Amino acid sequence: MTNENTLKSSGEKVFLTKGITRTYQMGEVQVHALRGIDLELYAGEFSVILGLSGSGKSTLLNILGGLDIPTTGQVFYKELELSHATEEQLTNYRRHHVGFVFQFYNLIPSLTALENISVVTEIADDPMKPEYALELVGLTDRMNHFPAQLSGGQQQRVAIARAIAKNPAVLLCDEPTGALDIETGVTVLETLNRVNQELGTTISVITHNASISDMAHRVIYLNDGQISSIKQNDIRKTPHELSW
Amino acid sequence: MKTLDRKIFRELWMIRGQVIAIALVVACGLSTVIMSYSTLESLQQTREQYYQEYGFAHVFASLKRAPNTLLERIAQIPGVDKVVSRVLAPARISLKDFVEPIQGLLVSVDFQSISNPDSLNRIYLREGRMPKTTTSAEKMSQSNQKIEIIINEAFAQPHDLHPGDQIKIIVNGHEKQLIIVGIALSPEFIYQIAPGSIIPDFSRYGVIWMEDKILEEAYDMDGAFNDLSIKHRSDIQSHVIIEKLNVILKPYGGLGAYDRSLQVSHQFLSEEFKQLDGMGRTFSMIFLSVTIILLNMVVGRIIASQRDIIASLKAFGYSNWAIGFHYSKLIVLIVMVGIVFGVLSGLFLGKNLALLYMDYYRLPFLDYQLQVGTILYSISITLIVTLLGALFSVRKATQLQPAEAMRPEIPQRYSITFIERLGLKKYLSQSSRMILRHFERHPLKAFMSVFGTAFACAIMIVGTFFMDAMNYMMDIEFNRSHREDLMVTFVNPLSYKAVYELRNLDGVLQVEPYRSVAVKMQSGSRSHRTAIQGFMPDNRLYQVLDTKNRVVKIPESGILLTEFLAKKLNVTSGDMIEIEFLEGKHQDQQVQVAGVSNQYIGLSGYMNINSLNHLLQEDSLISGAYLTIEKGHSEKSSNEISEHFFEQTQLKSMPQIAGVSEKKSLIDSFQKTVGDFMLTYIVFITVLSVAIAFGVIYNNTRITLSERSRELASLRVLGYTQSEIAYILLGELAIITFFAIPVGVLIGYWMSYGFILGIQQDLFRIPLIINLQTYIFSVLVVIGSAVISGLFVQRKLNQIDLVSVLKVKE
Ligand SMILES: Nc1ncnc2c1ncn2[C@@H]1O[C@H](COP(=O)(O)OP(=O)(O)OP(=O)(O)O)[C@@H](O)[C@H]1O
Ligand SMILES: [Mg+2]
């Protein structure tokens, strides 16, 4: 199945970044994680961020997700300027608009798989049932397991279910398939694809797996804190067609 | 139930060991407060009720002699509700198997009206019955009949006297045979203490209630009285009545009326309550603040360990408030467990302590007070401060950007440690190096652990040093200051000749006279009622000590004041104070303060006996004398000698002797009463301190374990053995304990100093003396707690599930 990419022209801008940088002070040394990023992401767009380890992918995604603030530059989510938002606006933004899959899953160890999802759906506007979200990632039978009783890949799937369960407008995933085998990886990616197509959710996925980029509308290449290039896929592959 | 609430209960269950330890600390802190306050409040309330129900008078007056007809005039003083007149007579009591002299106080009572609810200073019968009132017919044949009397329980108990027993007294030079029909208590003699003493000696002072007609006759007081008790309306102040009363009584040898605050029993009791209050308050303050500090540290670390969870919650869109609320609930629940136990055990301990006091003071009943106010207050303080601390820790976590908080904490600095740089590296194993690096990289955590353990050590010291201080105080007072064997008190001041009489008695080695005069000292608006002791300049048997406990010579002129009294009057060496003599000619005099002295028990002034008599405008009179007697050599024990001495004073009829106190028995009596009593309180406090110390150390250990379990599990996976990782953790604990001990000793010392400042008052001032044993005991408790906690932790460490620890990023 192929897909015409018409989003860029018709879609409204969801994210807009203007020259954002992010530096970390490490004692005497400064680490420049981002060195001036100008980027636009569009409504309903499925984008993939590619880059070497340490190139600043997570940093960028965290800033888009309102989990971090750029050192300089501006980030907008629609009309909201995240770079200068109040604590309350940020909380509100995170609660009602973004679903996030963390690189290290960050499940709460004292809660079961299902409860880890409920923690999020309980405060969302129009969430799916947590059980359904688990079903989407194929973990219904692990509902009552604690994170320590799940495999790494299962934990990652719970983290994905947690992110999609609140039906967010944007879904930001930091290496959602890193710990998954092909089969499960494909299932997860299909879920993401479905969410993207059926609900029009804007999705941005970080990955090391270049082949995943074939299913994106756009691929953003990061190198040493800068965008080195952006590739537009005129033809998107489905997850099944991806060659791992 | 909300999912987050479920998280709370799960986590409480997971850290249950810690929850119990925290609860233990909180419970002990609160127990101390509740125990101390409820005990005191109960005692005060009981005394108040006792006074009410048994008609304790408001105003008291002693005089030489006045006719009963005067009562009408006194009753007419506006505001006076009830006047009761009576005769008080000093007596000497002799018991069959007790050769030492016993001071007695005969109190005349109208046994017919004493049971009226409106009569004053009523007595509470513990045993037996009231004496039968004699009719005039019986009075004729009274001489060959035994007089029925009631004696007070405090005196009856040590001598095992019961209704039906007989005793002999000498009153007014005549011997009388008495039969006990009842044992009683009275609001007037709750604290039963012989005039002039500062320590009660129950077996050597007895109160005897006797029918008024009989006593009046025996004491040549027919139709007259020498003592008054007055109850007045509550809207009138006592001093208004006192002024009017003094005018009326003056011609009859009135010695100055006084209100409850100067009534001996009330005064001593109030002083003791003050002492108890001071102790309770100070212990409460120290314990509660330490509890709260420790609680905050523990809570802070628990929250810090959830830094990344907080970040995730934030990332999901939970507001800072919602997160704060979540952790508040967690903390409140933990603290609540402690609060519940604290309140329960505080009430339980308080009740038992109050019952002990009830026995000690021989109160007829106990009105146990549930201190709702205090309980709520201490609970709120604990909760509020802990919550604030918890919120502070939460805030620290929420202030971070979630992205940052989710990464593992970045080590502050990477460096090889100082010790390694010193070139000791080759002596250190890899594990030892890991311990040292951990300290260097987490100085704050290490500091908190050291600080927490130090507080545990400190609280042990404060909780237990008190006995050392008491013993030291006793030693200074009774061995350094008082060097006599016996102290003789005369009924009235005698001429110097009495010294020779005493010296002539068998077995007496040294005799040194003293003069003691009741005075009111005044300086500006400050005043204090006490006694001035006059001594011979070359006095050896009673030594005045300076603030470094060195012997000071009594100055030729001027007065030495107890340091605390000088502070109270706000005077120093060289200042003039005004002295109003409360006996003799009652004149006022100015005296210069010649210096200050140290004295732990009581407050007084010291003067040269001659200049004191000179000020009094009297010839050389003495109030009594200090004696030493021959120490028992081969055939006679010192006991026998003192017994012999008492026999002589009785036989040779030295009626002027009101009482003889034997230092040894005074110390015994002190230790049996006050000492034992303090001991009980101290035992309670010690148990609480041990519990707190253990709770703190255990918590510290558990937190360290949870903070490091991931790292240690990784090491296990890398091939370290169980005992190697145990070495890392336990080594860390050992080092923490090692550094905490000196810090704790210092903190303990300063807290003890604060403690004695908090409780010093007129009756006692406790010196800051901490014996080596106390330090050793405290340190041992700390080390013991550390070892036990270490064993617990080691067991946990052995059970660590390597895989699951590593699988989940905490
Ligand atoms: N909190 C921080 N403090 C210091 N440096 C940081 C911090 N977070 C990230 N960095 C640094 O910023 C750079 C970019 O990090 P980032 O996590 O964005 O990389 P990434 O592209 O996601 O890498 P990976 O693919 O390995 O996840 C790295 O050099 C990293 O060391
Ligand atoms: Mg990354």
Side-chain angles (χ1 to χ4, degrees):
Chain A
M1 189 173 87
T2 56
N3 216 328
E4 221 43 41
N5 186 356
T6 48
L7 270 161
K8 194 187 171 185
S9 42
S10 68
E12 58 168 316
K13 277 180 227 162
V14 177
F15 286 107
L16 172 65
T17 74
K18 290 188 192 166
I20 51 173
T21 66
R22 180 70 171 94
T23 36
Y24 294 103
Q25 194 68 42
M26 297 282 302
E28 281 98 76
V29 225
Q30 280 201 336
V31 180
H32 297 274
L34 295 179
R35 310 165 177 267
I37 301 275
D38 295 301
L39 182 67
E40 291 169 2
L41 295 178
Y42 300 96
E45 185 179 40
F46 192 123
S47 56
V48 163
I49 302 174
L50 277 178
L52 297 177
S53 176
S55 57
K57 304 181 296 293
S58 296
T59 309
L60 175 61
L61 209 67
N62 285 341
I63 288 175
L64 295 180
L67 306 185
D68 199 359
I69 302 227
T71 313
T72 61
Q74 290 176 298
V75 202
F76 291 92
Y77 169 75
K78 296 180 180 165
E79 276 79 49
L80 177 67
E81 186 185 347
L82 297 177
S83 40
H84 282 103
T86 61
E87 183 67 41
E88 201 187 327
Q89 285 171 320
L90 277 179
T91 301
N92 207 39
Y93 164 65
R94 294 190 292 247
R95 176 184 294 214
H96 298 299
H97 302 272
V98 208
F100 214 105
V101 179
F102 308 110
Q103 184 170 10
F104 302 107
Y105 326 145
N106 285 71
L107 299 181
I108 296 173
S110 51
L111 295 180
T112 61
L114 190 70
E115 287 163 352
N116 261 290
I117 298 170
S118 314
V119 152
V120 173
T121 55
E122 272 169 11
I123 57 166
D125 283 337
D126 176 29
M128 15 175 130
K129 282 185 67 100
E131 292 83 354
Y132 180 64
L134 271 185
E135 198 185 312
L136 285 182
V137 295
L139 277 180
T140 309
D141 52 337
R142 292 301 155 101
M143 199 152 77
N144 295 321
H145 285 51
F146 286 96
Q149 298 164 328
L150 295 171
S151 74
Q154 287 167 333
Q155 288 184 46
Q156 190 161 38
R157 281 188 277 162
V158 174
I160 291 163
R162 183 171 65 180
I164 57 178
K166 66 195 226 184
N167 279 325
V170 291
L171 199 50
L172 305 175
C173 312
D174 200 341
E175 296 194 40
T177 57
L180 305 182
D181 57 282
I182 302 175
E183 208 174 314
T184 355
V186 168
T187 323
V188 164
L189 288 175
E190 255 181 350
T191 316
L192 291 181
N193 214 13
R194 214 163 70 217
V195 169
N196 173 248
Q197 277 171 359
E198 290 171 10
L199 304 170
T201 308
T202 308
I203 298 182
S204 200
V205 174
I206 291 178
T207 181
H208 279 121
N209 187 342
S211 61
I212 293 182
S213 59
D214 289 344
M215 65 177 280
H217 291 113
R218 276 200 303 163
V219 189
I220 296 141
Y221 294 91
L222 272 193
N223 187 13
D224 195 18
Q226 285 173 318
I227 297 179
S228 56
S229 67
I230 296 182
K231 185 182 101 187
Q232 183 124 356
N233 283 333
D234 292 329
I235 314 249
R236 292 174 65 201
K237 288 186 177 166
T238 64
H240 287 291
E241 298 163 340
L242 298 178
S243 49
W244 290 68
Chain B
M1 191 165 41
K2 293 258 283 301
T3 311
L4 276 188
D5 294 336
R6 229 173 279 168
K7 166 176 178 293
I8 291 177
F9 286 109
R10 294 248 173 79
E11 285 170 359
L12 282 180
W13 181 245
M14 275 184 329
I15 57 167
R16 58 191 177 275
Q18 241 171 295
V19 171
I20 290 169
I22 295 174
L24 182 75
V25 173
V26 174
C28 291
L30 278 180
S31 289
T32 318
V33 181
I34 292 169
M35 170 182 89
S36 305
Y37 279 78
S38 62
T39 302
L40 187 75
E41 190 57 32
S42 306
L43 284 175
Q44 270 165 346
Q45 199 54 42
T46 302
R47 179 171 77 168
E48 207 39 56
Q49 203 176 330
Y50 189 17
Y51 281 179
Q52 282 244 309
E53 285 179 21
Y54 287 84
F56 187 49
H58 292 126
V59 172
F60 307 84
S62 313
L63 52 146
K64 276 240 148 62
R65 179 197 180 93
N68 286 342
T69 48
L70 194 65
L71 288 176
E72 238 165 274
R73 258 181 76 196
I74 293 164
Q76 275 160 14
I77 297 175
V80 167
D81 261 352
K82 174 99 186 162
V83 184
V84 170
S85 72
R86 57 188 180 177
V87 173
L88 295 186
R92 253 179 57 193
I93 302 175
S94 38
L95 300 177
K96 265 201 204 84
D97 312 314
F98 200 78
V99 288
E100 296 158 48
I102 301 167
Q103 292 191 65
L105 179 69
L106 300 179
V107 181
S108 78
V109 183
D110 176 357
F111 285 111
Q112 263 169 341
S113 70
I114 190 92
S115 33
N116 290 348
D118 72 328
S119 108
L120 298 186
N121 304 326
R122 296 166 50 213
I123 52 186
Y124 174 95
L125 262 191
R126 277 274 227 220
E127 221 182 302
R129 57 168 173 86
M130 293 286 184
K132 284 200 201 74
T133 26
T134 42
T135 60
S136 37
E138 280 167 331
K139 210 172 149 188
M140 301 300 287
S141 58
Q142 176 204 307
S143 44
N144 48 28
Q145 209 179 345
K146 291 196 181 91
I147 304 166
E148 295 189 342
I149 51 138
I150 291 181
I151 62 168
N152 66 326
E153 190 188 57
F155 175 66
Q157 259 171 9
H159 295 294
D160 198 25
L161 292 172
H162 295 283
D165 289 342
Q166 299 188 11
I167 60 174
K168 234 171 38 185
I169 57 164
I170 298 170
V171 57
N172 210 13
H174 301 289
E175 199 177 287
K176 300 253 177 231
Q177 200 68 39
L178 311 177
I179 179 159
I180 298 167
V181 296
I183 311 283
L185 305 173
S186 150
E188 268 184 293
F189 302 104
I190 298 177
Y191 200 97
Q192 183 198 304
I193 194 160
S197 312
I198 42 173
I199 293 170
D201 188 350
F202 297 138
S203 55
R204 288 176 189 77
Y205 181 65
V207 176
I208 296 174
W209 286 276
M210 189 184 269
E211 193 189 337
D212 47 2
K213 295 192 196 76
I214 301 172
L215 182 55
E216 281 166 22
E217 199 188 271
Y219 203 52
D220 298 333
M221 278 285 201
D222 264 327
F225 64 91
N226 65 3
D227 186 82
L228 273 181
S229 308
I230 291 175
K231 200 172 147 223
H232 58 70
R233 288 208 316 260
S234 51
D235 57 336
I236 298 268
Q237 289 196 311
S238 293
H239 72 88
V240 180
I241 309 255
I242 288 172
E243 275 161 33
K244 300 210 169 96
L245 195 60
N246 280 342
V247 175
I248 297 176
L249 294 180
K250 185 124 202 182
Y252 301 96
L255 293 175
Y258 50 92
D259 63 3
R260 282 180 181 178
S261 70
L262 290 173
Q263 201 265 350
V264 175
S265 159
H266 182 89
Q267 194 185 0
F268 270 88
L269 208 56
S270 302
E271 285 291 322
E272 289 221 346
F273 284 3
K274 250 199 265 170
Q275 164 113 5
L276 207 59
D277 185 41
M279 250 165 89
R281 257 173 224 287
T282 321
F283 266 130
S284 302
M285 220 180 67
I286 293 178
F287 274 48
L288 197 61
S289 15
V290 170
T291 302
I292 289 175
I293 292 173
L294 296 170
L295 190 60
N296 268 310
M297 280 171 38
V298 172
V299 164
R301 288 172 79 171
I302 291 182
I303 290 174
S305 73
Q306 296 224 349
R307 207 170 93 111
D308 53 325
I309 295 182
I310 291 176
S312 309
L313 291 175
K314 239 186 116 171
F316 302 152
Y318 279 89
S319 68
N320 291 349
W321 280 113
I323 296 171
F325 185 59
H326 169 68
Y327 282 94
S328 302
K329 280 196 274 189
L330 178 77
I331 299 312
V332 167
L333 277 176
I334 296 179
V335 176
M336 241 11 217
V337 180
I339 286 177
V340 169
F341 282 110
V343 170
L344 291 181
S345 68
L347 290 177
F348 174 79
L349 290 178
K351 173 115 195 195
N352 280 293
L353 197 59
L355 284 173
L356 274 173
Y357 273 101
M358 183 183 93
D359 258 11
Y360 175 58
Y361 290 124
R362 297 167 203 286
L363 297 169
F365 52 83
L366 181 70
D367 184 4
Y368 188 66
Q369 291 289 307
L370 240 177
Q371 281 293 292
V372 180
T374 308
I375 295 177
L376 288 182
Y377 177 75
S378 43
I379 291 180
S380 333
I381 289 216
T382 310
L383 269 183
I384 290 172
V385 179
T386 311
L387 274 182
L388 286 181
L391 288 178
F392 175 77
S393 310
V394 170
R395 204 176 126 72
K396 241 174 51 192
T398 54
Q399 259 177 346
L400 295 174
Q401 290 304 330
E404 200 170 334
M406 265 184 274
R407 324 180 116 239
E409 231 172 312
I410 305 154
Q412 264 92 351
R413 85 193 125 110
Y414 300 85
S415 66
I416 44 176
T417 61
F418 181 66
I419 294 184
E420 287 174 277
R421 259 177 279 150
L422 284 180
L424 300 174
K425 182 173 173 178
K426 52 179 173 289
Y427 303 110
L428 295 172
S429 66
Q430 187 59 38
S431 310
S432 306
R433 257 179 272 160
M434 286 190 55
I435 296 175
L436 292 180
R437 286 202 188 142
H438 182 72
F439 281 131
E440 287 216 2
R441 286 174 199 169
H442 302 281
L444 190 70
K445 275 180 193 165
F447 174 77
M448 295 227 286
S449 299
V450 168
F451 196 63
T453 311
F455 259 115
C457 180
I459 211 156
M460 280 303 308
I461 294 173
V462 191
T464 50
F465 89 101
F466 198 68
M467 268 341 250
D468 300 344
M470 288 283 284
N471 287 336
Y472 179 81
M473 179 179 96
M474 295 286 291
D475 180 53
I476 292 289
E477 281 294 323
F478 291 118
N479 294 332
R480 299 280 298 278
S481 248
H482 284 272
R483 303 166 66 87
E484 84 281 3
D485 295 322
L486 303 172
M487 185 179 107
V488 175
T489 320
F490 302 139
V491 179
N492 289 308
L494 298 177
S495 81
Y496 199 81
K497 229 176 65 201
V499 172
Y500 302 109
E501 271 179 64
L502 286 171
R503 197 168 280 159
N504 283 336
L505 294 176
D506 255 10
V508 172
L509 292 178
Q510 283 164 289
V511 181
E512 284 179 5
Y514 69 88
R515 179 80 168 100
S516 174
V517 192
V519 295
K520 189 173 154 193
M521 297 181 181
Q522 186 137 10
S523 166
S525 59
R526 301 170 182 225
S527 69
H528 185 76
R529 239 176 120 136
T530 177
I532 296 181
Q533 315 281 343
F535 293 118
M536 306 294 282
D538 54 352
N539 209 46
R540 304 284 309 273
L541 298 185
Y542 182 92
Q543 294 187 324
V544 181
L545 304 174
D546 69 6
T547 46
K548 296 207 167 64
N549 289 329
R550 291 174 306 212
V551 178
V552 271
K553 257 188 99 67
I554 310 270
E556 280 293 313
S557 64
I559 187 167
L560 284 175
L561 293 181
T562 306
E563 196 187 14
F564 195 69
L565 179 57
K567 270 193 204 134
K568 213 176 157 181
L569 295 172
N570 195 22
V571 293
T572 50
S573 269
D575 291 348
M576 298 298 285
I577 56 169
E578 215 163 291
I579 289 183
E580 181 191 333
F581 288 106
L582 300 176
E583 45 189 90
K585 302 198 174 84
H586 279 258
Q587 68 281 58
D588 293 354
Q589 297 278 8
Q590 297 268 336
V591 185
Q592 190 171 38
V593 178
V596 293
S597 70
N598 192 19
Q599 195 186 2
Y600 297 121
I601 305 177
L603 296 179
S604 46
Y606 303 99
M607 289 184 74
N608 181 301
I609 192 165
N610 297 323
S611 60
L612 178 59
N613 274 324
H614 182 73
L615 275 187
L616 272 163
Q617 297 168 9
E618 277 173 353
D619 306 328
S620 347
L621 288 184
I622 59 177
S623 315
Y626 293 111
L627 276 64
T628 52
I629 52 173
E630 259 175 69
K631 297 285 170 288
H633 34 80
S634 49
E635 70 269 37
K636 276 184 185 169
S637 74
S638 64
N639 256 350
E640 280 171 47
I641 293 177
S642 56
E643 275 183 26
H644 180 59
F645 173 81
F646 298 130
E647 274 161 13
Q648 290 177 71
T649 57
Q650 272 178 337
L651 290 176
K652 292 188 182 156
S653 70
M654 292 184 75
Q656 317 94 311
I657 293 184
V660 178
S661 68
E662 199 181 354
K663 190 172 79 181
K664 201 160 49 66
S665 70
L666 207 62
I667 298 173
D668 287 350
S669 141
F670 183 84
Q671 258 154 6
K672 237 188 265 137
T673 55
V674 188
D676 273 8
F677 196 64
M678 288 277 184
L679 198 64
T680 316
Y681 188 72
I682 293 305
V683 166
F684 280 29
I685 290 290
T686 307
V687 170
L688 292 174
S689 347
V690 172
I692 290 184
F694 177 75
V696 168
I697 292 169
Y698 179 71
N699 250 306
N700 246 333
T701 314
R702 284 305 300 270
I703 291 177
T704 310
L705 173 70
S706 78
E707 281 170 356
R708 311 222 32 207
S709 59
R710 208 180 141 75
E711 187 186 337
L712 296 176
S714 316
L715 289 177
R716 282 277 283 131
V717 173
L718 295 179
Y720 276 62
T721 63
Q722 254 179 19
S723 57
E724 274 165 342
I725 63 163
Y727 172 78
I728 293 177
L729 193 68
L730 299 180
E732 189 180 321
L733 291 173
I735 292 176
I736 287 171
T737 313
F738 178 79
F739 283 107
I741 285 170
V743 178
V745 164
L746 264 176
I747 299 177
Y749 183 84
W750 285 109
M751 289 208 297
S752 306
Y753 181 67
F755 176 80
I756 60 163
L757 284 188
I759 64 163
Q760 64 177 354
Q761 35 98 347
D762 293 4
L763 198 57
F764 284 107
R765 286 159 308 281
I766 316 290
L768 179 54
I769 297 294
I770 307 176
N771 289 349
L772 188 62
Q773 288 96 304
T774 300
Y775 287 124
I776 292 177
F777 176 62
S778 305
V779 168
L780 283 182
V781 167
V782 168
I783 293 176
S785 307
V787 168
I788 295 174
S789 308
L791 291 178
F792 261 115
V793 164
Q794 194 181 15
R795 235 189 55 208
K796 285 259 175 226
L797 217 48
N798 293 346
Q799 294 163 353
I800 253 182
D801 177 354
L802 294 183
V803 183
S804 68
V805 168
L806 293 179
K807 217 152 64 174
V808 188
K809 193 196 156 281
E810 276 184 44

